Amino acid sequence: MYNEKVMQAFQNPKNVGEIENASGVGTVGNASCGDIMQISLKIENDIIVDAKFKTFGCAAAIATSSTATDMIIGMTIEEALKVTNKKVVECLGGLPSQKIHCSVLAEEAIKKAIEDYLSKKQA
Ligand code: FES
């Protein structure tokens, strides 16, 4: 069901865990399956210097979060906000259509974590 790249990312996921004293944390639930994803970010001068994820999601959620967190490390927050689930799925060489909803978790959790960072910054 999954291609080689997805299996690779699922079996050796990067950036698993939680950042202590994170600059921003985003937790989202998936409306389709009820699974949960949390992404924590360390941001310095509006640049993402570290990103980690924790999920109760499936293999597709793990593979896409691993890839998405890897993609955004080194990006500015503006660039990271443009990373869509589509781009992440493309980078993984595609997902079965019934698993596309899983890839939305990472995108949404990244956006929420950045919002959290921005709201703390303003406070
Ligand atoms: Fe829930 Fe994939 S089935 S994240």
Side-chain angles (χ1 to χ4, degrees):
M1 158 164 169
Y2 294 123
N3 72 35
E4 191 73 12
K5 243 180 165 177
V6 175
M7 283 309 287
Q8 208 31 34
F10 164 58
Q11 280 165 341
N12 305 294
K14 294 186 193 165
N15 313 317
V16 177
E18 198 175 344
I19 297 173
E20 257 184 69
N21 300 319
S23 319
V25 180
T27 306
V28 292
N30 195 315
S32 319
C33 61
D35 290 334
I36 294 172
M37 163 83 62
Q38 184 191 78
I39 287 195
S40 51
L41 302 175
K42 189 167 175 56
I43 303 172
E44 282 167 11
N45 299 322
D46 287 353
I47 293 173
I48 298 170
V49 292
D50 201 8
K52 290 205 186 302
F53 77 93
K54 273 202 319 204
T55 186
F56 292 107
C58 65
I62 293 168
T64 50
S65 326
S66 168
T67 306
T69 46
D70 232 20
M71 280 167 91
I72 61 166
I73 293 173
M75 283 186 176
T76 63
I77 52 175
E78 259 176 43
E79 288 165 340
L81 285 171
K82 289 186 201 139
V83 172
T84 59
N85 72 310
K86 253 192 177 167
K87 282 193 196 155
V88 176
V89 170
E90 262 170 40
C91 182
L92 278 166
L95 275 178
S97 57
Q98 72 271 30
K99 285 283 164 189
I100 294 292
H101 72 91
C102 313
S103 66
V104 178
L105 275 175
E107 176 189 332
E108 288 182 347
I110 289 169
K111 292 204 165 119
K112 246 188 153 174
I114 292 175
E115 275 169 28
D116 182 42
Y117 161 73
L118 291 173
S119 69
K120 281 185 193 156
K121 205 177 147 184
Q122 277 160 9

